[in-house]
Amino acid sequence: MERCDVVVVGAGLAGLTAAADLVDHGHRVVVLEARDRVGGRTAGGVLADGRTIEMGGQWLGPTQDAVLALCETHGLRTYPQYGTGDHVFTWEGEVRRYGKGEARLAPESAAEFLRTKTELEKMAATLDLNEPWAAPDAAEWDAITLHGHLRAATRDEGALAFWRFVVPGVFAAEASEMSLLHFLFYTASGGTLDTLLGLEGCAQDRRVAGGAHLIAEALATTLGDAVRLSSPVHTIEQGDQGVVVRHDHGEVSARRVVVALPPTLAGRLRYAPAMPALRDQLTQQVPMGSVIKVNVRYGRPFWRAAGFSGLVSAPDRPLSAVADNTPEGAGYGVLVGFFEGTHARRFGALSPRERRAAALECLVDYFGPEAGEPLEYLELDWSAEEFSRGCYGGRLGAGVWTAYGPQLREPVGLVHWAGAETAAVWNGYMDGAVRSGHRAADEIHTAFTADTR
C-alpha cells in the first residue's frame, strides 16, 4: 500500500492549491483525480486552428487576490475582457441596442429594480461571511426563497422579470431554488451584486492568456507524479492510525485527507465510519447549477465592426447571456453563450444539433444574419459531466444554511473539506476555490505541528 502524509481527493483549483501548500510545508502528498485531466470546472476546448478556448470557468476580477497571485507566481498573463461598443438587451420580444450607461428598463421598473437591489445589498452587508447562519435575521431569511422575498418586495413586473435574468446569470439556477440567506451570503462573498455581474472592474474583468485551465495545469506541473489522473476515489476509511483512501486502481494510506469536491459529489463517497448525520444531510441538499456553455467561431469578429461589444442580456431567450470570447491575437471572432437554469435543463434534454440550431437562432436575432454562418460550434453541458454534475456552483435552498451551515467546512475527524462552495470570500468562484485550498492546507499543517509538540 502506498503511504504519504496527506491524500487530496480532486485536482481542481482547490485540491491542487491545498496539495501545493502542503508540499511547501514539507509534507508528502498524493492527489487523486477522477478525470483524465486536472482543472475541475475549468476546462479548455480546442478550436480547429489548435488554439484553446475556455469551456469552463474563465473570468477574473479585482479583489480576487488569491487566484491572481497564482497567475503571477506561475507566469500566467491576464488581459482585459473585450467590452467596447454597444450592448444588446432583449425585452418583451424586442431586441434593443444600448450604450454604456443607458437604461435597459422602463424608468419605473429600473427604479424598482434598483430599490430592491439596494435593500438586498444592505441586508447582505450585515452578514459575517464565516458564519452567515448566525446573523440575527438568519432564520427569517433562510426560511424563504429569494423568489418569495422578491414577490413580497415589489409588484413591478418589469423589475421582477429582470431579476429572473439576473439570478440565473450568477447562479445558473432560479430564484425559487435558493434561500434568501444564500443569495445574501453569495452576494456579500463577492462584494456587491454589481461586482458579480459586471465586466470592467468587476468579476468578468479579465481573462487568462491561453485559458484559465492553465492555472491548474501549472500547479499540477509543480506537483509532478504526485498527481494521479483517472483514479476515481470511492471509499475513505478513518482509524486510529490515519486514513485509507481507496480508488479504482489501488489504495493510499495517509495521516489526513482533503476532499476537494463539490458537496454533492463528496456525499457520494463511502466513508467508514459513516459521516455524522448532519454532514451527510448537508451534502444531500447542495445541488449544482445547470448550465450549457457554447463557443461559436466566425471568420471575423463582425459584431465589433458593427459597433457591438458582443455582450448580450436576454432574459426571455434560451441563450440568455453572450459575450465576446475571441482569443487574444486571433484573426477570427468567437462568441460565448450560456443556456442557464431552466433553459439549460430544457435544452439539455435535446440533441446537440437542436441546441446548436437554437443557439444560432438567438445569435442571429442579436447580431444579424452573419451570426448564422459559423465556422465552428463547441458546447459543454456541465450538468452531464460525471465528475461535476453542474456549474457554476452548489446552492443552498430554504432552511439549509441555518440547519447545516457549520458542517460545510468543519473537519470530520481526519477528513478536511475544500472547494469553491466552502469559501467565505468569492464563494463559487475560482478565487474561492483557491482560498479554500489554502485554508484546508493550513488546517492540516497546524494539526501536524500540534502533533509534534
Side-chain angles (χ1 to χ4, degrees):
M1 181 188 300
E2 186 175 8
R3 289 176 170 79
C4 64
D5 294 318
V6 183
V7 174
V8 177
V9 181
L13 286 173
L16 292 171
T17 298
D21 283 3
L22 289 164
V23 168
D24 287 345
H25 286 306
H27 307 303
R28 294 169 299 146
V29 175
V30 169
V31 181
L32 298 173
E33 168 56 44
R35 290 183 171 93
D36 61 0
R37 63 170 181 84
V38 299
R41 283 170 271 175
T42 63
V46 181
L47 296 169
D49 70 342
R51 289 179 187 263
T52 56
I53 196 74
E54 302 96 330
M55 299 304 298
Q58 68 174 81
W59 284 292
L60 307 176
T63 77
Q64 296 185 357
D65 302 325
V67 70
L68 288 169
L70 276 186
C71 290
E72 184 175 356
T73 296
H74 294 284
L76 298 174
R77 185 174 53 82
T78 67
Y79 64 97
Q81 165 64 32
Y82 186 84
T84 302
D86 291 341
H87 307 328
V88 172
F89 180 60
T90 71
W91 194 252
E92 297 178 342
E94 180 184 353
V95 177
R96 306 175 184 177
R97 179 174 184 160
Y98 70 100
K100 186 175 181 180
E102 292 183 18
R104 286 176 279 182
L105 301 176
E108 60 274 14
S109 295
E112 268 299 273
F113 177 78
L114 179 60
R115 183 186 66 80
T116 53
K117 180 173 74 72
T118 300
E119 289 180 352
L120 286 166
E121 289 180 338
K122 287 180 179 178
M123 295 158 67
T126 67
L127 297 178
D128 178 344
L129 294 178
N130 289 302
E131 296 183 328
W133 58 85
D137 295 311
E140 177 184 349
W141 294 343
D142 206 32
I144 61 172
T145 65
L146 173 60
H147 173 78
H149 169 81
L150 291 172
R151 271 293 178 189
T154 181
R155 295 182 180 180
D156 187 287
E157 292 299 328
L160 290 170
F162 196 68
W163 275 113
R164 287 194 291 272
F165 160 72
V166 166
V167 175
V170 175
F171 296 91
E174 308 298 328
S176 59
E177 297 177 311
M178 69 192 73
S179 77
L180 172 60
L181 180 60
H182 182 68
F183 175 83
L184 297 174
F185 162 75
Y186 200 91
T187 299
S189 177
T192 68
L193 191 58
D194 287 339
T195 300
L196 299 184
L197 292 168
L199 296 184
E200 186 176 351
C202 298
Q204 286 71 228
D205 182 79
R206 309 191 70 75
R207 298 168 63 186
V208 178
H213 60 285
L214 295 179
I215 306 171
E217 292 178 11
L219 283 166
T221 297
T222 67
L223 293 166
D225 60 7
V227 180
R228 318 290 167 78
L229 302 179
S230 302
S231 301
V233 169
H234 51 77
T235 305
I236 297 176
E237 298 179 1
Q238 294 193 65
D240 294 338
Q241 303 304 311
V243 297
V244 175
V245 180
R246 306 186 192 281
H247 58 95
D248 282 3
H249 307 296
E251 54 189 37
V252 184
S253 68
R255 297 164 67 188
R256 291 185 181 247
V257 60
V258 177
V259 178
L261 305 177
T264 188
L265 296 184
R268 298 182 186 188
L269 304 181
R270 180 176 180 271
Y271 301 90
M275 281 288 118
L278 291 179
R279 169 67 197 185
D280 189 61
Q281 290 173 2
L282 166 74
T283 59
Q284 298 173 41
Q285 300 186 71
V286 190
M288 301 295 285
S290 302
V291 64
I292 303 169
K293 184 173 184 177
V294 305
N295 277 289
V296 188
R297 184 170 76 93
Y298 299 93
R300 66 188 184 101
F302 59 87
W303 54 92
R304 295 185 182 181
F308 287 105
S309 66
L311 188 70
V312 178
S313 306
D316 52 356
R317 304 296 177 93
L319 201 70
S320 56
V322 177
D324 186 318
N325 211 32
T326 305
E328 187 181 36
Y332 47 78
V334 177
L335 290 171
V336 62
F338 302 87
F339 296 92
E340 297 169 319
T342 298
H343 292 310
R345 291 191 285 269
R346 175 187 168 197
F347 283 85
L350 303 182
S351 69
R353 177 177 293 183
E354 290 171 312
R355 283 193 295 274
R356 181 182 186 276
L360 293 183
E361 181 180 357
C362 289
L363 293 173
V364 168
D365 286 345
Y366 306 152
F367 298 113
E370 195 167 353
E373 301 175 357
L375 300 178
E376 281 185 89
Y377 172 91
L378 282 71
E379 69 169 25
L380 182 53
D381 182 352
W382 281 94
S383 297
E385 286 285 290
E386 180 181 3
F387 300 115
S388 293
R389 306 313 295 177
C391 267
Y392 307 112
R395 65 183 182 276
L396 280 65
V400 179
W401 266 116
T402 48
Y404 308 105
Q407 280 68 48
L408 194 58
R409 56 178 174 265
E410 189 173 278
V412 177
L414 304 177
V415 180
H416 298 254
W417 314 105
E421 286 77 16
T422 71
V425 175
W426 284 109
N427 184 280
Y429 286 75
M430 290 185 284
D431 188 76
V434 173
R435 290 173 187 267
S436 77
H438 289 317
R439 173 189 49 75
D442 286 345
E443 289 173 358
I444 291 176
H445 181 62
T446 298
F448 284 171
T449 302
D451 289 345
T452 60
R453 290 174 181 169

